[in-house]
Amino acid sequence: MSQRHRTFTMNTEHGVVPDGREPSLINLYRRLIPDWTALAHKGGAGRVAVVGGCLEYTGAPYFAAMAATYTGADLAYVFCEQSAAIPIKAHAADLIVIPTMHASEARIPATNQREGPVDRVLAEQADAPPPPTSLPAETDDAYAVHIFGQWLPRLHAVAFGPGLGRDPRVLGAVQHMLAMAVEQRVPIIIDADALYLLGVAGRAGDDTRLSRALAARRQRESAHGGAATTAAAPLVLTPNAVEGNRLLHSFQSAAVERLLEEVLTAADLVVEKGTLDRLHFCATDARYPSPLLCSERGSPRRCGGQGDVLCGALLTSMAWAHRCLDESVRRHPHRYLAAAHGACRLTRIAARMAFAERYRATVASDVLAQVGPAFRTLECEPATPPTRVVQAGTFADASDEQR
Ligand SMILES: NC(=O)C1=CN([C@@H]2O[C@H](COP(=O)(O)OP(=O)(O)OC[C@H]3O[C@@H](n4cnc5c(N)ncnc54)[C@H](O)[C@@H]3O)[C@@H](O)[C@H]2O)[C@@H](O)CC1
Ligand SMILES: Nc1ncnc2c1ncn2[C@@H]1O[C@H](COP(=O)(O)OP(=O)(O)OP(=O)(O)O)[C@@H](O)[C@H]1O
């Protein structure tokens, strides 16, 4: 990674956020967890959805939706491109998989071709339209938008992106679905290919449905003096180092903080994944300056799919933070920060446990399997929030800090 990404430095002036802040983030996270007695009906602990999955990537939406379920959501839906539905259903009977988006014609495998599977994949890749650099205002996949619109009012949080791919027709439909979720005021996670979508269709100058929905949201939320209202639902962006720099480039932002000020709102968060996770947000409280670090020890294994597990943990945690029945928690200015910090810790504890058991053979399925035990650790251990503060800057290379 080039030097320009390595601009974060530990700032000892800010120092370590001491334990015992009232309430500490982990204590606040624990107050978000639905009470067993409150779970009188299926769906009470969350109905969440992942919009993602295409011909190439069926693991990513599976990991994200299952991680949401293992974190505690009662029902997890996957809205995927048609060809991904059967493989995802085959991965997990626990998921409700709804074939939704249609890929461009060139990407649909021809069933009457005489070539073998490898020839066919290569032919598909050669025929595949290039990823779009901009998207039209309208979609020709009205079916996908309609289906998603029918389910949306029942959902408590939606994650866009895991395994979505870059097919222009799919991205065209998904920008409408994302705009609908923004208008619905439901917590949204924007991950993986949906971060790419945001970069090509979410800028102020883009003549797209998504850009207009984000502008209207900013206007609506800024009417409250810049502070997040209790009704505001967060947008949570989860870039890795490469996605983060692509995002800053698309929005011509010099730093994540500029992105938050100019594109997002006071309710929103950017979770920058890496050696340490950095949680960026609009800080109004000197006790929790942005970015806040999650330095929970994770795993040295960098297998694919770990970001999807984090996406699912965030999905359930954000749904809980948004719907929390405890009025004092619902009004707490840091409830979304606590939800994100808890999800980051949960994922890293699960990765650490998986690595301890599987070492070099650790894969995302092993991390997923540890989400349940990791949750118990998070829920029951004494509160020791490992939070530190660094200077604001651009996205960092994952290799730029030592724990
Ligand atoms: N089993 C599956 O179905 C999986 C599917 N995935 C999906 O695959 C699609 C493409 O994801 P990509 O992540 O490849 O995205 P991109 O196509 O944007 O590629 C990003 C590249 O950056 C590299 N990279 C990531 N973090 C880095 C770091 N800290 N420093 C240097 N390089 C870094 C990656 O190796 C990758 O080659 C997405 O839809 C994603 O959700 C992944 O989630 C992995 C698992
Ligand atoms: N160098 C690292 N050391 C320890 N943990 C890391 C490191 N980099 C990332 N992580 C952790 O791994 C998880 C996934 O982050 P990663 O950067 O791999 O996401 P991603 O590239 O989007 O994943 P995916 O393969 O699912 O697309 C996060 O919980 C993050 O905290």
Side-chain angles (χ1 to χ4, degrees):
M1 187 59 53
S2 70
Q3 198 60 33
R4 74 191 166 88
H5 298 149
R6 308 177 61 130
T7 55
F8 278 106
T9 52
M10 295 304 296
N11 183 348
T12 46
E13 266 174 38
H14 285 109
V16 178
V17 176
D19 297 353
R21 297 280 181 187
E22 189 45 47
S24 73
L25 288 179
I26 187 61
N27 283 342
L28 186 54
Y29 185 81
R30 287 171 184 153
R31 290 170 67 191
L32 304 175
I33 302 168
D35 199 304
W36 289 118
T37 56
L39 305 182
H41 70 279
K42 183 177 61 181
R47 285 189 296 272
V48 300
V50 174
V51 178
C54 65
L55 186 64
E56 293 90 340
Y57 309 125
T58 59
Y62 158 79
F63 292 132
M66 282 308 297
T69 308
Y70 286 173
T71 301
D74 288 335
L75 291 164
Y77 299 81
V78 176
F79 296 88
C80 61
E81 193 272 311
Q82 302 276 331
S83 63
I86 302 298
I88 302 170
K89 283 176 193 284
H91 289 319
D94 297 286
L95 303 177
I96 302 159
V97 185
I98 304 174
T100 311
M101 298 83 79
H102 295 84
S104 308
E105 292 298 321
R107 293 180 51 79
I108 298 170
T111 46
N112 59 355
Q113 277 180 333
R114 299 225 319 269
E115 300 94 336
V118 173
D119 297 326
R120 198 153 64 227
V121 168
L122 291 175
E124 279 160 20
Q125 284 174 354
D127 287 347
T133 50
S134 65
L135 286 172
E138 292 310 318
T139 172
D140 64 348
D141 197 354
Y143 171 84
V145 178
H146 173 72
I147 290 287
F148 181 70
Q150 301 252 300
W151 288 92
L152 180 58
R154 287 175 241 184
L155 301 175
H156 301 140
V158 187
F160 289 85
L164 191 60
R166 305 270 173 88
D167 178 80
R169 192 170 183 219
V170 170
L171 292 184
V174 171
Q175 66 132 330
H176 283 255
M177 294 154 64
L178 179 49
M180 287 162 81
V182 165
E183 286 155 4
Q184 179 82 22
R185 288 183 136 184
V186 64
I188 294 169
I189 318 296
I190 302 187
D191 188 29
D193 298 310
L195 290 166
Y196 179 85
L197 171 64
L198 186 67
V200 296
R203 297 160 298 195
D206 293 324
D207 178 24
T208 60
R209 171 102 157 74
L210 178 59
S211 171
R212 287 192 291 277
L214 289 172
R217 177 179 184 268
R218 258 194 319 279
Q219 209 166 19
R220 189 174 68 211
E221 299 304 341
S222 62
H224 303 278
T229 63
T230 42
L235 278 183
V236 184
L237 276 51
T238 55
N240 61 29
V242 172
E243 290 161 341
N245 282 303
R246 192 189 292 138
L247 209 55
L248 292 184
H249 183 259
S250 296
F251 285 93
Q252 298 184 334
S253 284
V256 192
E257 280 62 30
R258 292 278 86 75
L259 192 71
L260 277 156
E261 279 168 25
E262 292 160 14
V263 185
L264 304 172
T265 74
D268 302 335
L269 287 155
V270 177
V271 177
E272 183 194 355
K273 297 174 288 191
T275 316
L276 306 170
D277 293 332
R278 292 171 171 81
L279 281 64
H280 303 260
F281 53 99
C282 293
T284 52
D285 183 340
R287 286 177 307 171
Y288 294 112
S290 171
L292 188 79
L293 257 66
C294 173
S295 58
E296 181 76 52
R297 190 160 57 83
S299 153
R301 259 293 266 160
R302 304 270 35 90
C303 57
Q306 294 181 89
D308 304 317
V309 173
L310 173 63
C311 179
L314 279 167
L315 188 54
T316 298
S317 303
M318 287 296 156
W320 289 346
H322 192 56
R323 296 184 69 244
C324 187
L325 295 175
D326 180 335
E327 194 58 26
S328 66
V329 180
R330 269 180 72 79
R331 295 187 173 279
H332 201 289
H334 298 311
R335 70 189 187 287
Y336 294 127
L337 183 62
H341 194 259
C344 288
R345 288 193 65 195
L346 176 66
T347 309
R348 295 172 75 99
I349 295 170
R352 183 173 78 225
M353 288 175 158
F355 184 76
E357 201 171 299
R358 303 277 296 154
Y359 189 48
R360 237 171 249 285
T362 308
V363 290
S365 304
D366 301 315
V367 180
L368 183 63
Q370 293 297 338
V371 169
F375 198 98
R376 184 166 280 208
T377 302
L378 195 68
E379 198 173 351
C380 303
E381 73 179 8
T384 51
T387 45
R388 283 180 285 170
V389 180
V390 292
Q391 289 174 334
T394 57
F395 282 87
D397 184 355
S399 64
D400 69 352
E401 283 183 40
Q402 301 298 319
R403 285 196 74 253

